[in-house]
Amino acid sequence: MSTARLTAAVSNCGGLGSFGAHQLSAEQIGPVAAEIRALTARPFALNLWVSTHDKGGDQVDAAEFERVWRLFEPWYRELGIDKPAPPARFHADFEVQFEALLAAQPAVFSFVFGVPRKPLLQECRRRGILTIGAATSIAEAQALDGAGVDAIVASGFEAGGHRPSFLARPEDSLMGTFALLPLVVDRVQVPVIAAGGIADRRGVHAALALGAQAAQIGTAFLACNESGASDAHRQILFSDAAQSTTLTRAFSGRLARGVRNHWTTEMASRINELPPFPVQSWFTGQMRAAAIAQGRTDLVSLWSGQIAPNLVHRSATDLMHSLTH
Ligand SMILES: Cc1cc2nc3c(=O)[nH]c(=O)nc-3n(C[C@H](O)[C@H](O)[C@H](O)COP(=O)(O)O)c2cc1C
C-alpha cells in the first residue's frame, strides 16, 4: 500500500513520510529508497516487520501445502487462477532486509512485531539512523524502552492494518489509543508517538494533550490518491461500508483491522483451518491481483481503521495541510 509518492508527499509537507517495506525483497529496498530520494530531500522512514514467521509458518511441507491449497482451491477456480507452485520462501528474512535497509541509510528505521537484536539497534545508532518501535501494551513499550530505541509508537486497536503485538497474543493486547497512550507516556524515557484513530487536527491535539510528541496516521493517508490502495478500496473507505471494520486473521494469518466483507465473514467460521502467517498471507496474496481486476472487493483485504467514516481528503498534501495549519 506504500508508494514512494505518498512517502515523499508527507515528508515534503514537513511530516515524516514512512514506507512499509516488509513485503519487499532485500534487493528491492535500495531502489525504493532511491525512488523516494528522487522525490524529496527531506527525512523519511523505512519500516520493517521484525518477526516475519509465526509458529508453523516457516516450515511448510508438501502435505501442508496441499491442505492449504484445497482450502483456497474454490476461490482460485472462481477467479480463474492456476494452482501456484510453492515458493522458495513465503516471506523475506528480516535480518537480510535489515542489511539492505542499513545500506539505504534512511533517516529513520521504524519497525513492528518485535525488538531487533541489540547489535542491530547499535548499528543504527552508529550510523545516525533513528529507531522507532511499536507497542500495543505497557510491557511492549517497556521492552522497547529497555532496548534503547529512540521513540515508541503506542498503537491502539482503532488503527487500520495489523496489530503489531509481540509479547502477548494481539487478542489479549487490545487497548484503545487514548487508554494506552498515557500509560506508555508515564512509563518510558523516550518520546511517544500516538497511533490509531487519528485523522484530523482534533485527534492530533488530543494525542499531544495526553503526552504524545507526535501522531502517526495510516488510514487517512491510505485513502489519498498517492497511496497504493486500489480505486475500489479507496471508494469503500469513503463509503458507508467503512462504518463496519473488524479485526481479522482472514487475510494474513495475523490479526488486522479492515472493512468487513465476504472473506472476513467466511473465514471467521474456518479460523482453525487457516495456516499461520506468512502462509495465509502468501495464498491470499496470489489471489489479489485477479480479484481486484475482476472487481471482487468481497475477496480482498480492505484495510481500514475505525476513523474512516470521518475521512475528507483525497490528496496527501491537502491532508498534511489540514493537519498542520
Ligand atoms: C494498510 C495499512 C498498512 C499498514 N502497514 C504498516 C506496516 O507495515 N508497518 C507499520 O509500522 N505500520 C503499518 N500500519 C499502521 C500505521 O503505521 C499506523 O500506525 C496506523 O494506521 C494508525 O492508525 P489509523 O489507521 O487509525 O490512522 C499500516 C496501516 C494501514 C492502514
Side-chain angles (χ1 to χ4, degrees), residues 64 67-68 70-72 266-276 280:
E64 173 64 359
R67 185 190 74 78
V68 179
R70 278 193 295 277
L71 188 72
F72 277 86
E266 168 77 14
M267 291 296 144
S269 62
R270 307 173 69 172
I271 206 74
N272 294 329
E273 299 169 49
L274 305 185
Q280 178 75 2

Side-chain angles (χ1 to χ4, degrees), residues 1 20 22 47 49 112 158-161 195-198 216-219 222 303 305 307:
M1 303 279 164
H22 87 92
N47 179 277
W49 293 16
V112 283
E158 300 92 329
I198 301 170
Q216 178 164 292
I217 294 176
T219 300
L222 179 68
W303 302 132
I307 200 68

Side-chain angles (χ1 to χ4, degrees), residues 241-260:
Q243 290 178 23
S244 180
T245 66
T246 182
L247 283 166
T248 179
R249 288 183 180 267
F251 293 106
S252 70
R254 284 184 173 172
L255 198 68
R257 185 176 296 283
V259 176
R260 207 180 290 274

Side-chain angles (χ1 to χ4, degrees), residues 63-79:
E64 173 64 359
F65 189 86
E66 279 305 308
R67 185 190 74 78
V68 179
W69 162 245
R70 278 193 295 277
L71 188 72
F72 277 86
E73 192 174 2
W75 311 102
Y76 276 57
R77 294 250 179 276
E78 207 176 311
L79 292 168

Side-chain angles (χ1 to χ4, degrees), residues 210-244:
L210 287 174
Q213 299 290 315
Q216 178 164 292
I217 294 176
T219 300
F221 285 113
L222 179 68
C224 291
N225 294 327
E226 293 90 337
S227 91
S230 69
D231 290 342
H233 186 169
R234 236 187 294 279
Q235 230 166 31
I236 286 170
L237 289 174
F238 284 107
S239 77
D240 286 347
Q243 290 178 23
S244 180

